[in-house]
Amino acid sequence: MLQINDLHVYYGESHIIKGVSFEVGKAETICILGRNGMGKTTLIKAIMGLLRPKEGKITLNGEDITFLEPFEKINKGIAYVPQGREIFPYLTVQENIEVGLETVSEKTIPDFIFDLFPVLKDMLNRKGGNLSGGQQQQLAIARALVSNPKIILLDEPTEGIQPSIIEEIAKVLNILKKEKGISILLTEQFLNFALETSDRFYIIEKGKLIYETTREKADEKALRDFLTL
């Protein structure tokens, strides 16, 4: 589905992502785990087209999308839920979701969105800025999903969210993978969420992937040690 090959990304003169390579299969969830400042957000932004890689290649279903603009990548089937959610606080819940319909022909919010996030149906006319952090994250995921993506990128989806909503989001991601066939790439620091949702894990350290494992072979202590060093 998505393949990253020898990616290098800079901020000015600072070399942030250093030769990262991995792939995400169809209906597979990959988690990039790492502490703050290790390059997780830079990596996701580069894949989405918000940052331009200096070297390397990004392909989606075999097509080179390395240097496409973000809106072009959305048209190709990539959706993005940024760190901090970035919903529109002065738009209603319905208007926020409808922003995600810009790239599809059907301009009606599909029913499955409210099956996944019933709380949003009760808040359609409420301003996005009046929602809790967890509700805003659900709104951001809903906005991404209505574009009918093949793969969704989530940057630190549990950040600043109460545990009950984290559990709900984990269930939703598993439904999207198993029932909708959507591939998922997420970055995280919260290991329990990663273990609940992900098929494979990578540890990122100073812009490099230094460790890889699967859910079946995961050594929870080793993963926690990487995150607390």
Side-chain angles (χ1 to χ4, degrees):
M1 176 63 70
L2 181 72
Q3 188 169 36
I4 313 301
N5 185 41
D6 195 28
L7 202 68
H8 293 259
V9 185
Y10 288 72
Y11 271 130
E13 297 298 316
S14 299
H15 193 180
I16 306 299
I17 299 299
K18 304 169 183 176
V20 164
S21 299
F22 66 95
E23 59 185 34
V24 184
K26 180 174 173 56
E28 182 181 39
T29 300
I30 301 298
C31 183
I32 308 293
L33 288 158
R35 294 172 289 124
N36 282 335
M38 292 298 153
K40 300 189 302 297
T41 294
T42 299
L43 175 61
I44 291 290
K45 284 184 173 181
I47 294 170
M48 192 61 217
L50 297 166
L51 292 172
R52 192 174 182 87
K54 192 165 185 178
E55 298 176 40
K57 189 175 183 180
I58 303 167
T59 59
L60 183 68
N61 285 331
E63 180 182 357
D64 188 347
I65 63 166
T66 310
F67 299 114
L68 295 185
E69 296 295 329
F71 75 90
E72 294 174 307
K73 293 188 177 186
I74 291 171
N75 289 334
K76 296 290 185 182
I78 299 181
Y80 173 52
V81 180
Q83 184 180 26
R85 302 173 282 276
E86 295 186 16
I87 57 100
F88 299 101
Y90 299 111
L91 297 182
T92 66
V93 167
Q94 179 165 338
E95 289 166 340
N96 267 278
I97 298 174
E98 288 174 345
V99 168
L101 294 171
E102 288 297 316
T103 60
V104 295
S105 57
E106 178 56 59
K107 301 303 181 184
T108 303
I109 300 170
D111 290 338
F112 84 88
I113 293 294
F114 301 121
D115 294 336
L116 293 173
F117 303 113
V119 67
L120 297 181
K121 189 171 185 179
D122 298 328
M123 297 183 171
L124 281 176
N125 296 315
R126 188 176 298 187
K127 295 288 178 63
N130 293 331
L131 274 58
S132 70
Q135 291 164 348
Q136 288 184 5
Q137 185 64 283
Q138 291 177 81
L139 176 57
I141 296 172
R143 180 181 62 189
L145 286 175
V146 296
S147 67
N148 196 28
K150 299 170 185 171
I151 182 167
I152 183 168
L153 314 181
L154 299 103
D155 192 9
E156 304 250 18
T158 67
E159 186 179 49
I161 295 177
Q162 59 269 41
S164 61
I165 302 295
I166 290 175
E167 290 177 11
E168 290 180 24
I169 291 174
K171 290 176 184 176
V172 165
L173 295 187
N174 287 330
I175 288 170
L176 294 177
K177 176 177 64 176
K178 293 172 184 175
E179 297 184 12
K180 300 289 186 182
I182 295 175
S183 302
I184 299 167
L185 173 62
L186 61 96
T187 69
E188 260 302 333
Q189 295 185 65
F190 184 30
L191 182 57
N192 288 349
F193 179 82
L195 291 169
E196 181 130 357
T197 58
S198 304
D199 302 299
R200 290 191 289 125
F201 312 88
Y202 292 89
I203 296 290
I204 190 168
E205 184 84 19
K206 296 181 180 178
K208 296 181 179 180
L209 298 185
I210 62 167
Y211 183 84
E212 176 188 359
T213 190
T214 64
R215 180 189 294 176
E216 292 76 16
K217 297 179 180 179
D219 181 338
E220 189 171 331
K221 182 182 182 302
L223 291 171
R224 291 193 189 281
D225 286 346
F226 279 119
L227 296 174
T228 55
L229 288 174

